[in-house]
Amino acid sequence: IPRADLWHHIRPAALSRVIDHARTTHQHVVIDCSFDLNRGEEIEPGPSDITETVLGLADLTLLIGRPDPVGIARTLRSAEEAKDRAQELAIVFNGLRSSTPWSKNEIADMVFHVTQQRPLTFLPFDAEVCDRALLRGEPVTEAISDSPLAKSIAALADMIRSTLEPVSVSSS
C-alpha cells in the first residue's frame, strides 16, 4: 500500500498471510503501523483491526513515542491500550531534545509509575542528521554513521536482535 490513507484496502486475513510468508523468507520482519486501537468503527475492516492483527503476530512491539509533554501522555495511553494485546511491549522515545523539561531518568520514572516498565532507550533529536540522510536517500545509520543518533539507532537494533530469535528462513 503506497499511502497511509489506503489502509482500508488491507484485509486482516490477507495481512496475516503476508506476514507469515515474510517470516519464511527473512530472519526479522519489521512492520510500521499506527497505534490505533479504538473500537466501534463503522468501516470494516478498520485501522484498529489492522493494528490488532499486527500486534497479535508480533514477537516484539516497539511503542515509539516523543519525549515531550504531549508525546509522553500519548505514549502512556497507547501503552495501556497495547499491554494486553502485545506479546512483548517495549517503549522507545524518539527525538529527545536538550530543551526537554525532564531528564531521561525523570521520564523513565514517569513511564515506570504508569506501565511498570522503563523505556528501552531514548533516541536523541538531530534534525541536521535526519535532513542530511533524507537528502541522500540513505538510512541515518549509513549517511552519518558516527552521529549520536546513528549510534543510538544501531544500539537499539543490536538490543532488539539480541532478544529475538531469528525466524528460520526456508531455502526455497
Side-chain angles (χ1 to χ4, degrees):
I1 302 284
R3 296 189 335 247
D5 63 328
L6 298 175
W7 60 263
H8 59 278
H9 291 288
I10 300 173
R11 295 182 327 275
L15 178 61
S16 293
R17 288 192 301 276
V18 168
I19 293 170
D20 288 342
H21 176 72
R23 284 179 159 176
T24 66
T25 58
H26 297 81
Q27 285 190 342
H28 300 287
V29 178
V30 177
I31 300 168
D32 182 6
C33 68
S34 162
F35 230 75
D36 182 1
L37 293 172
N38 295 324
R39 288 284 169 220
E41 292 148 348
E42 296 174 19
I43 301 172
E44 293 295 329
S48 65
D49 295 314
I50 303 306
T51 302
E52 289 273 357
T53 298
V54 172
L55 287 177
L57 294 171
D59 297 318
L60 172 65
T61 299
L62 289 181
L63 173 56
I64 311 296
R66 299 213 34 101
D68 58 48
V70 173
I72 292 168
R74 287 180 178 165
T75 301
L76 295 176
R77 277 193 306 274
S78 294
E80 183 65 27
E81 291 175 10
K83 72 178 181 183
D84 296 329
R85 295 171 170 98
Q87 291 182 42
E88 183 177 348
L89 180 68
I91 297 171
V92 173
F93 282 104
N94 184 25
L96 185 67
R97 298 172 184 259
S98 59
S99 62
T100 301
W102 304 287
S103 69
K104 289 180 188 178
N105 287 336
E106 289 171 320
I107 295 171
D109 288 346
M110 282 187 266
V111 171
F112 184 80
H113 180 72
V114 174
T115 67
Q116 304 309 302
Q117 70 180 60
R118 298 201 175 278
L120 187 59
T121 193
F122 291 83
L123 302 175
F125 176 77
D126 194 333
E128 182 181 338
V129 168
C130 291
D131 289 346
R132 194 173 307 163
L134 183 63
L135 288 172
R136 291 180 182 177
E138 297 176 337
V140 168
T141 53
E142 292 176 18
I144 301 123
S145 60
D146 62 340
S147 72
L149 177 58
K151 289 177 182 178
S152 295
I153 291 170
L156 174 60
D158 288 343
M159 281 188 275
I160 293 167
R161 269 194 297 273
S162 71
T163 62
L164 294 178
E165 290 294 320
V167 179
S168 60
V169 177
S170 68
S171 57
S172 54

